[in-house]
Amino acid sequence: MNPVRQDNPKLNTKALFIGGFAAIVIVKLIFATKLDLYSDEIFYWQASTHPAIAYSDLPFMASLLTGLGANLLGHTPLAVRALFLLMGCSIPFLVYWIAKGLVPQRQALEASALSLCIPLCSFLGLLAVPDVPLVFFGLLLIGSLERATRLDLKRYWLLAGLAAALGVSTHYRFAIYLLSALVFLTIFKDQRQHWRRPGLWIAATLVAIGLFPTLYFNLQNSLGGLDYHLLDRHPWEFQAEGLLHPFKQALLVTPFLYILLIVVLIKQLKAASNGDSRKGLIAIFALFNLGVYLILAPWTDSTRTSIHWPLSGYLPLLVYLPQTLRTTHSWLVQHYPKGGNSLFKVGIAIGFAGSMGAIVGIGSQSMQNTLQPLLGQDVLSTKMTGWPNLVAKVKDLQLNGRVPADALIVADNYYTSAQLEFGLGRRDIYNIDLDKAIRDGRAIQYALWLKDINGLRQNPGASALLVVEDSTLTSTDKIATLQRACAEFESLQFIGSQVQFNGAKKYSFYIGHNIGGNEANQRCPLPSLGWVDQPIADARVTDSLTVSGWIVNEGLGVESVEVLINGKSIGMAIYGNPRPDVAEIMNIQDDPNLPNLGYSFSISTSDLPKGEQELTLKTTGKSGESQIFGLRQITIE
């Protein structure tokens, strides 16, 4: 074979890798700078300000990395993500390092390049989440264990032990890596010799040291961390949606590469059954990281199990994927001479496009104002944008005297309180979260930090600004939240609101006076609950538009009801019509307008725009707070 032609594919692979890697790094860097911190990221940053060896939901690694980034590079989202970004971008090089000891160098380079075509892998590092160090230390363990068991050199056993120790200091899920290593060292005859040699026991000692933080925290806190990960976060009831797990994974990995990776796994398992411990090592780590989540998918946390958790199982298989790709390419070209080569290239290209799409898809959350008019309000998430606007609003309330300078700050959920802490640089910020904090396994941690409702109670007589994120609450949820807040203050007063992204993100602000001075007869500034009886949905209106229904406010009562068409006022409804039926059915006892809870309004259609219109109502309580409700699509003829 001509030497020049033999080198060309290798040079092309290098060029493709360099180009693809540079493109992914640049796009990740741009969006890592633009995106505000996600709720998990802000918690890990907050944890870094309370140094500990373990926390309620995880050991120390994620908080350590976020804290180091912020302390070294500044108080910005990019700084918080910096070390995660570095780890995520190093994954292709770890794949190459692992593959170099098992396959020819050219295939190792190809395996590294193919890691750029796994969307979940390319996305790593954009956000400061524990999956990044988990995958990083997992691959480091696989590569060092492979070399340690093949060469039996103490430096690789030390590296393997260190990687495993750091891995178990990252996440409880790293236990799957330890189980994989244990099975590998047990079932292969040529590996059992290591149990009699010092290298393995040096590594095991390091692992035991790495497990100490998790064990210590759980023993000190009634096994709170283990309870959350093994019991509380999972329904442990059969969910048919879990049966879709492999199909979701195929879409996330891209169907072409997903099928080929499963083929690679099957081939390596066959080789392992014939005694090939090198291929067996790769197969076992892949099988356990994929199989555990596949089996448990119908019973566990579907929002996470079916998405990014199995990534750890695909990456080891990249080592032998180039060889399978060659076989696949030959088969396609042989059976489909005209389109086989193109089909092969398209399959790989879709993988890389998926990688870029995943990064841009998450990064687009920072472009709400630009994209929302095109995509609609419910497509983009507001969890990673808008927080600086909230911080600016709080500062404005303090500057204009609506909030005393020495007032504490309280939020209805933990991620809002953490974002305010990050943005304001204050530590006297609390939350009264009894929902998300429990669901995410962090209520114990806030109790330990005394930043929950019990911590707030340790400031008797103080005033506080209460920030409620309305856009994450239903009306009944908000009523429960405000009732909980009112129980802590002598009085609570609505002082303003903030609407971002056309209502996709909304906050209400209250000033609470005299913590601990609550009186039983206090009137709480609760939101209203309402209903539109007329017109019904999709009604056709001819001569006149009649609007009627009821509104309940068991706080301070209703001040006014305004009727809107396409967001513009067409008049004020009459409020105070008798509705004893509503009072009885809903067991209303504290509304000041009881039993006169009804409203009515009528207007000639000659004064209204014709065609399909959007009807809504705006109710304003005597607290001064307004709400929009009762959306109806109607046709005015």
Side-chain angles (χ1 to χ4, degrees):
M1 183 179 289
N2 190 311
V4 175
R5 294 181 62 188
Q6 184 179 11
D7 287 341
N8 282 338
K10 185 175 180 180
L11 293 174
N12 289 338
T13 302
K14 282 185 177 180
L16 288 172
F17 171 75
I18 293 172
F21 179 77
I24 285 175
V25 170
I26 290 171
V27 175
K28 277 202 287 194
L29 189 59
I30 290 172
F31 286 120
T33 304
K34 285 179 169 291
L35 285 168
D36 294 341
L37 294 175
Y38 181 57
S39 55
D40 283 344
E41 296 178 285
I42 197 65
F43 173 77
Y44 301 133
W45 168 82
Q46 191 177 36
S48 73
T49 66
H50 300 268
I53 59 174
Y55 301 91
S56 60
D57 64 330
L58 291 179
F60 66 84
M61 186 56 65
S63 62
L64 175 65
L65 295 174
T66 55
L68 284 174
N71 289 327
L72 291 173
L73 302 174
H75 203 69
T76 65
L78 179 61
V80 170
R81 296 173 176 136
L83 296 180
F84 293 83
L85 190 63
L86 184 62
M87 282 183 164
C89 292
S90 70
I91 298 301
F93 301 98
L94 278 175
V95 170
Y96 175 80
W97 177 66
I98 295 170
K100 191 172 67 170
L102 298 170
V103 297
Q105 185 175 5
R106 176 176 164 183
Q107 291 186 28
L109 180 60
E110 291 168 347
S112 180
L114 287 167
S115 69
L116 303 177
C117 299
I118 306 294
L120 291 175
C121 175
S122 298
F123 165 77
L124 286 177
L126 178 59
L127 301 179
V129 292
D131 289 84
V132 182
L134 184 146
V135 170
F136 179 89
F137 293 128
L139 290 176
L140 190 62
L141 171 61
I142 292 172
S144 54
L145 182 63
E146 189 281 319
R147 283 165 171 77
T149 54
R150 174 163 50 88
L151 304 174
D152 198 25
L153 295 176
K154 287 184 180 179
R155 65 174 180 269
Y156 289 121
W157 283 114
L158 281 169
L159 184 59
L162 180 62
L166 295 174
V168 296
S169 297
T170 300
H171 204 291
Y172 289 66
R173 283 188 280 123
F174 201 86
I176 296 177
Y177 282 96
L178 298 186
L179 178 62
S180 302
L182 180 63
V183 171
F184 168 71
L185 291 165
T186 303
I187 66 172
F188 287 98
K189 292 181 179 179
D190 62 340
Q191 299 306 309
R192 293 173 190 166
Q193 59 180 316
H194 297 295
W195 292 98
R196 301 187 297 271
R197 295 179 178 175
L200 174 58
W201 294 105
I202 292 173
T205 301
L206 292 174
V207 174
I209 295 172
L211 283 169
F212 175 76
T214 299
L215 294 174
Y216 179 80
F217 180 88
N218 278 277
L219 291 174
Q220 292 293 312
N221 294 279
S222 304
L223 302 182
L226 286 172
D227 280 347
Y228 169 66
H229 283 285
L230 298 180
L231 300 174
D232 297 340
R233 78 181 302 172
H234 304 293
W236 295 119
E237 294 179 357
F238 180 78
Q239 306 166 97
E241 181 187 357
L243 299 177
L244 299 176
H245 176 87
F247 302 100
K248 291 180 180 180
Q249 287 297 300
L251 291 175
L252 290 167
V253 179
T254 70
F256 179 68
L257 290 176
Y258 179 77
I259 292 171
L260 290 182
L261 287 167
I262 297 303
V263 170
V264 172
L265 175 59
I266 294 172
K267 286 184 176 181
Q268 306 323 306
L269 288 172
K270 287 182 178 179
S273 66
N274 293 325
D276 189 334
S277 61
R278 297 303 93 190
K279 292 183 176 179
L281 182 145
I282 297 296
I284 288 173
F285 275 93
L287 179 64
F288 277 69
N289 275 289
L290 294 176
V292 166
Y293 301 125
L294 174 64
I295 293 170
L296 294 180
W299 291 275
T300 54
D301 182 354
S302 60
T303 60
R304 297 171 177 87
T305 307
S306 297
I307 300 179
H308 59 277
W309 286 5
L311 173 62
S312 299
Y314 299 118
L315 296 181
L317 297 174
L318 292 174
V319 171
Y320 295 107
L321 181 59
Q323 186 176 349
T324 301
L325 279 172
R326 283 180 168 76
T327 304
T328 303
H329 180 265
S330 298
W331 185 89
L332 285 172
V333 172
Q334 181 180 354
H335 289 80
Y336 304 96
K338 294 184 178 180
N341 189 52
S342 298
L343 183 63
F344 178 84
K345 292 179 179 179
V346 168
I348 301 297
I350 289 175
F352 183 76
S355 293
M356 294 295 289
I359 300 170
V360 173
I362 297 297
S364 64
Q365 314 306 316
S366 65
M367 304 163 65
Q368 285 273 352
N369 291 326
T370 303
L371 296 178
Q372 194 189 78
L374 302 174
L375 302 177
Q377 194 175 90
D378 298 327
V379 175
L380 298 178
S381 169
T382 60
K383 292 182 178 180
M384 289 176 278
T385 187
W387 297 111
N389 297 337
L390 172 63
V391 172
K393 176 66 176 180
V394 171
K395 289 180 178 179
D396 181 63
L397 289 172
Q398 293 171 327
L399 288 173
N400 65 27
R402 302 296 301 277
V403 177
D406 60 347
L408 308 177
I409 297 178
V410 188
D412 70 306
N413 61 69
Y414 78 81
Y415 47 85
T416 297
S417 67
Q419 291 283 2
L420 289 171
E421 188 171 316
F422 183 79
L424 296 171
R426 292 178 54 173
R427 296 293 176 263
D428 55 344
I429 299 178
Y430 303 84
N431 72 76
I432 55 173
D433 194 337
L434 292 182
D435 182 20
K436 187 171 175 61
I438 294 175
R439 192 168 63 246
D440 292 349
R442 289 163 183 167
I444 294 175
Q445 194 59 64
Y446 282 105
L448 292 172
W449 289 337
L450 288 177
K451 298 182 78 67
D452 62 350
I453 200 164
N454 290 319
L456 179 67
R457 289 169 180 166
Q458 295 193 10
N459 299 276
S463 297
L465 170 68
L466 172 65
V467 182
V468 178
E469 189 175 2
D470 297 340
S471 46
T472 64
L473 301 172
T474 64
S475 294
T476 52
D477 289 337
K478 183 172 179 180
I479 289 173
T481 298
L482 287 177
Q483 287 175 333
R484 191 160 63 247
C486 283
E488 304 302 324
F489 297 95
E490 180 178 342
S491 64
L492 192 67
Q493 177 187 358
F494 173 75
I495 59 172
S497 61
Q498 182 188 53
V499 177
Q500 301 182 33
F501 314 123
N502 298 314
K505 199 166 191 172
K506 183 181 178 183
Y507 297 93
S508 296
F509 304 94
Y510 306 81
I511 183 69
H513 297 289
N514 190 11
I515 294 173
N518 176 262
E519 297 180 2
N521 60 355
Q522 175 195 178
R523 281 284 180 178
C524 194
L526 301 178
S528 302
L529 292 175
W531 181 256
V532 176
D533 292 329
Q534 290 183 295
I536 63 173
D538 301 317
R540 305 184 75 85
V541 182
T542 53
D543 298 329
S544 64
L545 170 65
T546 298
V547 183
S548 65
W550 53 265
I551 299 175
V552 173
N553 187 303
E554 293 197 279
L556 302 176
V558 174
E559 179 68 29
S560 64
V561 181
E562 190 173 6
V563 183
L564 312 175
I565 292 289
N566 299 329
K568 295 182 179 180
S569 176
I570 60 171
M572 304 298 294
I574 298 172
Y575 181 76
N577 299 331
R579 288 301 300 265
D581 57 324
V582 174
E584 181 179 354
I585 292 172
M586 297 189 64
N587 192 28
I588 306 301
Q589 298 178 356
D590 295 325
D591 192 312
N593 295 304
L594 191 72
N596 303 318
L597 308 174
Y599 63 85
S600 59
F601 174 83
S602 184
I603 189 173
S604 171
T605 56
S606 62
D607 299 323
L608 301 176
K610 305 303 184 288
E612 293 185 1
Q613 310 295 334
E614 184 178 274
L615 170 75
T616 54
L617 275 77
K618 178 181 179 181
T619 177
T620 302
K622 291 184 178 179
S623 66
E625 184 173 2
S626 298
Q627 297 166 259
I628 302 294
F629 77 102
L631 173 64
R632 292 283 191 274
Q633 297 293 341
I634 61 173
T635 301
I636 299 176
E637 298 178 342

